[in-house]
Amino acid sequence: MLTLDHNERYVRRAIMTMLLLAALGAGIGTVIHWSSPVRQPAGMIVPPVLCVLFLGLSFTLMLRPRWLVGIARTALLAAWLALAAASWGYTLQALLIPGAQLVRIFPPVSALLLAIMVLVILFFPERRAFRLALLGWAAIALPVLIYLFFHPHQLWTPRGEDLLMAYGPWTNMAIVLLLMQRGLREKVRRLTFEHGRMEEMANRDPLTDIYNRRLAVQVLSDIFADQSPAGVIMFDMDQFKKINDTHGHPVGDHVLRMVAVRCKDFLRQYEIISRWGGEEFLVVVRNVDAPELWRVAERLQSAIADLAVDSVGRVTASFGITLIQEGDDFASVLERVDQALYRAKQRGGNRVVYAQSADVAEELPAVEPLDFSDGRAMEAD
């Protein structure tokens, strides 16, 4: 990926918000249970443990954002165990303690089961999600429903009816959603594929099938935003107008395609080449210094010069290169690399010229000691 995935950032923020809200809810539950005149053992233990766990998971997500799915699943498992413990604990308490009624002692957590079901749909594969949903419903809802079934005088109270609806029809609706999940995921998968295909088409040059100017602008914008070290190479085909005038535009297009393929083969994954316009190309190289940027440009120069095109013969290109410096913007970088390219053209073409600053006559001592195997010396403007 050339840019940060906006969907991933959105999901990470959503999970962080969920964890913080869950920690807040557990903290409030802790205060309520500890300040209650009648304290239940489960209420004294489970909420504070969940509060600490959710805060720890939030902190872990900040430090390790790539652990997103694992953190979300851990939070879901903890919530599932907490609800199951509440269901079994309070149900057994109502059964074993004389005079205790489940509708009076059960905490207001029934709505959480539906939320967990929905999150299971999002963070687990289809078949596993269905099994986990059934298992979760059985562990959390069945004890309460069975108790209410055998205690109808509690079932038909407002609290009993609320538990019946929350753990019955509403939860079953979430399980029905799981059955629809496959079709929905398939549609989302197709939409995602089409979106990616359209995005790829929008970023490709139709003639050369390399990236276009739109993508190059996007990459440079990301570099300026991140303030990460990078270099820019701009090269232009020498005497290209003569090729078009002599051999025709179809031959000229063929030359551009061959040059694009040739350069792409000589570039590494993090070296992004795009067609800037006409016979002009732009290469962006991340995390590079001046000597390495020069080597990349010279590698491309040699690759093009060694390219033989039928009926045209040998083709060459002129190169301007520059590093992105602190305080640079779009205009300053493009002006500097364009000046270097213009100077390479002035000097006869088929050469690399480096621009260290706005003053294209400035020397670059750091690169001068380099020893190039083909005997060419660097030209520093």
Side-chain angles (χ1 to χ4, degrees):
M1 292 295 292
L2 297 176
T3 59
L4 184 61
D5 191 339
H6 297 287
N7 292 330
E8 183 181 340
R9 288 188 297 183
Y10 173 79
V11 172
R12 188 161 64 242
R13 286 196 297 266
I15 296 301
M16 178 65 73
T17 302
M18 181 194 75
L19 291 172
L20 292 176
L21 289 176
L24 177 62
I28 294 174
T30 301
V31 173
I32 291 174
H33 285 287
W34 279 78
S35 60
S36 175
V38 180
R39 298 179 179 180
Q40 303 291 339
M44 301 290 291
I45 299 173
V46 175
V49 170
L50 288 179
C51 182
V52 173
L53 175 64
F54 289 139
L55 287 176
L57 290 175
S58 303
F59 184 71
T60 303
L61 183 58
M62 287 190 294
L63 296 180
R64 296 288 187 270
R66 295 299 179 186
W67 295 1
L68 172 66
V69 175
I71 290 172
R73 291 178 176 178
T74 302
L76 285 175
L77 178 62
W80 179 81
L81 291 175
L83 286 183
S87 293
W88 285 94
Y90 285 103
T91 300
L92 291 175
Q93 185 178 342
L95 287 172
L96 299 176
I97 299 178
Q101 292 186 348
L102 184 64
V103 293
R104 291 183 177 273
I105 63 175
F106 198 80
V109 295
S110 55
L112 293 178
L113 179 57
L114 182 60
I116 289 176
M117 293 292 187
V118 174
L119 292 173
V120 165
I121 295 174
L122 296 176
F123 287 99
F124 286 91
E126 178 186 346
R127 293 183 179 179
R128 191 187 303 174
F130 185 72
R131 291 195 297 266
L132 288 174
L134 285 178
L135 180 62
W137 179 81
I140 296 170
L142 273 184
V144 176
L145 294 176
I146 293 173
Y147 175 92
L148 291 175
F149 179 78
F150 286 101
H151 297 80
H153 62 287
Q154 295 185 47
L155 173 62
W156 302 119
T157 62
R159 175 64 170 150
E161 293 176 354
D162 176 69
L163 287 172
L164 176 64
M165 293 298 295
Y167 285 165
W170 294 121
T171 304
N172 290 329
M173 183 179 68
I175 296 178
V176 171
L177 288 176
L178 282 171
L179 298 175
M180 302 168 55
Q181 184 184 19
R182 182 175 183 179
L184 293 174
R185 282 194 172 182
E186 185 60 31
K187 289 183 178 180
V188 170
R189 192 177 296 113
R190 285 201 302 267
L191 289 174
T192 303
F193 174 78
E194 288 298 323
H195 177 269
R197 190 172 67 88
M198 296 299 293
E199 185 75 14
E200 182 71 12
M201 290 175 60
N203 290 331
R204 289 284 176 181
D205 174 57
L207 176 64
T208 59
D209 197 38
I210 61 173
Y211 291 121
N212 57 19
R213 185 172 184 142
R214 177 179 181 270
L215 191 280
V217 170
Q218 181 180 336
V219 172
L220 287 173
S221 298
D222 291 342
I223 290 173
F224 290 133
D226 298 340
Q227 296 183 344
S228 55
V232 177
I233 301 171
M234 181 177 286
F235 67 91
D236 188 274
M237 303 304 299
D238 295 330
Q239 305 295 324
F240 190 75
K241 185 177 182 302
K242 183 178 179 181
I243 294 175
N244 279 333
D245 292 343
T246 304
H247 303 279
H249 289 279
V251 174
D253 291 344
H254 178 63
V255 170
L256 293 179
R257 283 192 292 267
M258 292 190 66
V259 167
V261 171
R262 183 77 167 178
C263 291
K264 189 176 179 181
D265 290 341
F266 276 77
L267 290 173
R268 288 162 287 194
Q269 186 175 4
Y270 60 88
E271 298 165 350
I272 307 303
I273 183 172
S274 63
R275 187 183 178 197
W276 192 247
E279 67 271 19
E280 202 168 53
F281 297 82
L282 190 81
V283 179
V284 181
V285 185
R286 291 181 178 270
N287 301 316
V288 69
D289 56 14
E292 179 61 26
L293 185 66
W294 169 261
R295 293 187 184 98
V296 175
E298 196 178 54
R299 190 194 322 149
L300 295 178
Q301 180 195 3
S302 299
I304 295 173
D306 293 341
L307 184 64
V309 182
D310 293 341
S311 75
V312 175
R314 185 170 182 259
V315 294
T316 61
S318 299
F319 289 74
I321 65 175
T322 190
L323 288 178
I324 296 178
Q325 303 166 7
E326 185 177 356
D328 264 336
D329 56 18
F330 236 70
S332 61
V333 170
L334 293 179
E335 179 184 4
R336 199 161 59 243
V337 75
D338 191 62
Q339 288 179 0
L341 174 59
Y342 177 73
R343 186 63 59 89
K345 288 282 188 180
Q346 276 188 326
R347 296 179 180 178
N350 192 26
R351 67 189 65 230
V352 179
V353 173
Y354 178 92
Q356 186 177 14
S357 67
D359 181 5
V360 295
E362 187 174 342
E363 293 293 329
L364 184 62
V367 188
E368 288 179 357
L370 292 178
D371 180 24
F372 298 108
S373 59
D374 59 359
R376 284 175 291 177
M378 175 178 180
E379 297 193 29
D381 272 16

